[in-house]
Amino acid sequence: MNIISLLASPHGLKGNTAGLLRLVLQGAEAEGARTEVVILRGDTVLPCRGCNVCHKKGRCAQKDGFEPLKEKILAADGLVLASPNYIFNVSAQLKAFMDRCCGVVHCMSFWGKYGASVVTSGGGDEEPITEYMNHFLITTGAVPVGAARANMSTVPEGGFTDEVKESARALGKRLVEAWREAAVPAQVERRRSEFSGRMRALVAYRKEEWPYEYQYWKERTGA
Ligand SMILES: Cc1cc2nc3c(=O)[nH]c(=O)nc-3n(C[C@H](O)[C@H](O)[C@H](O)COP(=O)(O)O)c2cc1C
């Protein structure tokens, strides 16, 4: 299994989120996965301009790091999103990537991939953020297998507790196992299938404006 992780913190590999992500990836690597971490500091994937070119042509018009990153993810089996809690949400660096995935979401182009989310906070509220990140993964077509979270105000001086370490490594292991078994939990399948119905209807409604996406769904569903 080949896993790409997006680490959306300006602290990069020295930050808290990187520390928690590393544990998740250790769990995945112990199961034989190959991993790569891409750091999003805000200068490689810029904010979406809302030009709608992705819907028309299947590619973003901005010439930055987004399209090469999208290709990398398309070639991978797994996608792990990692962000600090920035004012009760993902960092702007990760949100910029999510927004740039507007065409990916319309086509659910990451279908068949497996994912997970990682969040650290200064004082709490990680859970709704990982829920949001995993919801985003479902809307791209991917199957989230869970989340790793750490509130740094409860982390001892020496680093993460054994409990946090174990649960983060277990998440990495679960990611590889789910991919190997091609397992899709019933609840994820239901949400993914509902969302794909919505996207197909939306794209059909806008077929004149969004020819790439209309053609994409037509070919994929044979309809
Ligand atoms: C701009 C900014 C906003 C933050 N907002 C919150 C917040 O709303 N709640 C919280 O618990 N921690 C908040 N924090 C703290 C970070 O989430 C926390 O320090 C995190 O572990 C940093 O991860 P990193 O070292 O990977 O960047 C914020 C930090 C910054 C810089």
Side-chain angles (χ1 to χ4, degrees), residues 7 9-12 14-18 84-88 120-125 152:
L7 173 58
S9 161
H11 296 134
K14 295 192 174 126
N16 299 331
T17 315
N85 171 353
Y86 272 9
I87 313 299
F88 317 113
T120 66
S121 73
D125 301 312
M152 299 309 293

Side-chain angles (χ1 to χ4, degrees), residues 171-188:
L171 176 66
K173 183 172 189 263
R174 194 153 73 243
L175 180 60
V176 181
E177 284 170 350
W179 169 77
R180 212 177 265 142
E181 293 159 14
V184 183
Q187 206 210 21
V188 172

Side-chain angles (χ1 to χ4, degrees), residues 106-109 111 192-193 195-204 212-223:
H106 281 188
C107 296
M108 302 183 80
S109 325
W111 198 278
R192 201 170 58 155
S193 134
F195 193 76
S196 99
R198 261 175 66 186
M199 286 305 103
R200 282 205 307 264
L202 173 68
V203 167
Y212 171 84
E213 292 182 349
Y214 182 64
Q215 197 58 30
Y216 182 93
W217 276 112
K218 214 168 147 187
E219 281 166 23
R220 195 155 118 187
T221 58

Side-chain angles (χ1 to χ4, degrees), residues 21-186:
L21 172 64
R22 179 93 307 270
L23 293 164
V24 175
L25 298 183
Q26 276 172 9
E29 285 161 8
E31 287 296 308
R34 276 170 288 126
T35 65
E36 183 184 347
V37 177
V38 175
I39 302 171
L40 299 180
R41 293 183 197 274
D43 49 0
T44 42
V45 175
L46 301 173
C48 175
R49 292 179 185 157
C51 67
N52 292 327
V53 167
C54 58
H55 308 316
K56 295 178 207 301
K57 301 196 170 165
R59 282 185 67 80
C60 184
Q62 282 197 68
K63 302 282 174 266
D64 64 0
F66 176 72
E67 279 297 328
L69 180 55
K70 184 178 93 182
E71 293 304 320
K72 203 186 259 284
I73 296 166
L74 284 170
D77 308 301
L79 175 61
V80 178
L81 304 174
S83 173
N85 171 353
Y86 272 9
I87 313 299
F88 317 113
N89 212 318
V90 296
S91 65
Q93 290 83 344
L94 184 59
K95 186 60 167 57
F97 168 80
M98 290 167 147
D99 292 349
R100 293 287 292 282
C101 282
C102 200
V104 167
V105 167
H106 281 188
C107 296
M108 302 183 80
S109 325
F110 296 164
W111 198 278
K113 305 195 188 302
Y114 282 75
S117 298
V118 176
V119 168
T120 66
S121 73
D125 301 312
E126 312 90 50
E127 190 158 354
I129 304 173
T130 54
E131 287 298 314
Y132 170 64
M133 291 155 86
N134 281 344
H135 178 68
F136 166 78
L137 285 171
I138 291 176
T139 67
T140 67
V143 176
V145 302
R149 310 178 187 100
N151 172 344
M152 299 309 293
S153 74
T154 67
V155 172
E157 264 309 293
F160 296 112
T161 58
D162 287 345
E163 199 185 337
V164 169
K165 284 184 189 166
E166 265 172 42
S167 107
R169 289 192 186 116
L171 176 66
K173 183 172 189 263
R174 194 153 73 243
L175 180 60
V176 181
E177 284 170 350
W179 169 77
R180 212 177 265 142
E181 293 159 14
V184 183

